[in-house]
Amino acid sequence: MSNTATTPGYTAIQDGRVLRITITNPRRKNAIDYDTMWGLGDTVLAAAANPDVRVIVLTGAGGDFCTGADLAASPGEAERGITPEMTMACANRMIKAVVEAPIPVIARVRGAAAGVGVAFALAADLTYASEEAYLLLAFINIGLMPDGGAAALVAAAAGRPLAAEMALLGDRLPVAKAVEHGLITGVYTPEELDAKVEAAAAKIADGPRRALELTKRALNLATLTALDGVLAAEADGQAELLRHPDFAEGAAAMLQKRKPVFTA
């Protein structure tokens, strides 16, 4: 059975026991706005409650996975009354839906995974990437801090030193280094990536759902006990920073492709 749901920002296609979720904003390197984040959370939560779904595959259309929040959409969201607190709650809900889903989630990463896109990729249970992909916690470059649980997700997999380097310097992390530090599951050529993702999804789809659920729960208890606290700390800090003049300058500089001049 194949079911397709298309909404602005992403598509969700159920093919047998596999649900494939694809972010569809390639013109903006698959940046996501508030409505897309909310919809992604809804879709993952619905899949978690659907006994006919055994595995979720997350990916992005075109050459990138997801470059995080769409800054170009922020003014319109503010006009609609969407506050920084609402934005952070929405992002956290999306990430927790992936982490807490009782079924495995696979991330297929090509090109850029940046901002909350890093958290979205690393929240998955299996993260496979192509050789040209990279991870980028660019928040510091625009006067912000990591969010979506990225601080916990990176540190849990790779340790505090790499998490600090990514968060404080805001530089790209090639996937070759990411896999070396245990941050992602594997790196493949573009031709091999789809085959690897499909093989993993097919194997899980034929697996025992309850055993998969309890295994995932145990792995999360072993590695992500700090996630809720980090999500709360990030939400509080990011809501403050989203109102700070440095973020306004950083966002403007990013959109104008110039170096920001921070005042504080």
Side-chain angles (χ1 to χ4, degrees):
M1 181 182 70
S2 180
N3 296 315
T4 302
T6 301
T7 65
Y10 73 99
T11 62
I13 300 173
Q14 184 181 340
D15 183 11
R17 292 176 168 180
V18 181
L19 179 68
R20 307 175 195 279
I21 300 174
T22 304
I23 302 171
T24 56
N25 187 18
R27 185 180 62 84
R28 298 280 299 152
K29 294 183 178 288
N30 293 320
I32 50 179
D33 59 13
Y34 179 90
D35 292 337
T36 299
M37 283 194 291
W38 191 267
L40 289 168
D42 275 349
T43 299
V44 174
L45 289 169
N50 183 350
D52 294 329
V53 176
R54 197 67 53 91
V55 60
I56 299 171
V57 176
L58 306 174
T59 193
D64 295 287
F65 179 71
C66 173
T67 52
D70 189 350
L71 296 182
S74 297
E77 291 172 354
E79 290 176 1
R80 291 165 51 197
I82 296 172
T83 66
E85 287 80 8
M86 292 169 64
T87 298
M88 293 310 306
C90 183
N92 287 357
R93 174 180 180 267
M94 177 183 72
I95 299 302
K96 288 197 70 171
V98 173
V99 172
E100 296 178 355
I103 52 178
V105 179
I106 301 171
R108 171 192 173 274
V109 180
R110 291 194 60 193
V116 78
V118 172
F120 199 44
L122 300 185
D125 305 287
L126 299 170
T127 304
Y128 298 115
S130 59
E131 293 170 330
E132 88 288 354
Y134 62 89
L135 308 180
L136 175 61
L137 293 180
F139 299 97
I140 200 73
N141 299 330
I142 56 172
L144 296 177
M145 63 181 289
D147 60 26
L153 293 164
V154 174
R160 184 170 180 266
L162 185 62
E165 183 178 45
M166 291 179 66
L168 297 177
L169 298 183
D171 294 331
R172 292 186 182 190
L173 181 75
V175 289
K177 186 173 181 180
V179 76
E180 176 187 335
H181 286 268
L183 195 55
I184 62 174
T185 313
V187 180
Y188 302 89
T189 67
E191 295 76 21
E192 294 170 336
L193 178 63
D194 285 342
K196 181 63 181 179
V197 169
E198 290 308 306
K203 185 169 186 178
I204 293 171
D206 288 335
R209 195 179 200 272
R210 181 60 173 166
L212 291 166
E213 175 183 358
L214 295 179
T215 299
K216 176 171 177 172
R217 183 184 302 172
L219 289 169
N220 286 348
L221 284 172
T223 58
L224 294 178
T225 53
L227 181 61
D228 284 345
V230 170
L231 285 169
E234 288 176 346
D236 288 344
Q238 199 75 303
E240 174 188 334
L241 292 172
L242 284 166
R243 293 186 171 92
H244 196 282
D246 277 348
F247 169 61
E249 165 60 13
M254 181 179 179
L255 293 172
Q256 296 165 12
K257 302 185 185 303
R258 61 173 175 81
K259 184 177 179 179
V261 180
F262 297 124
T263 58

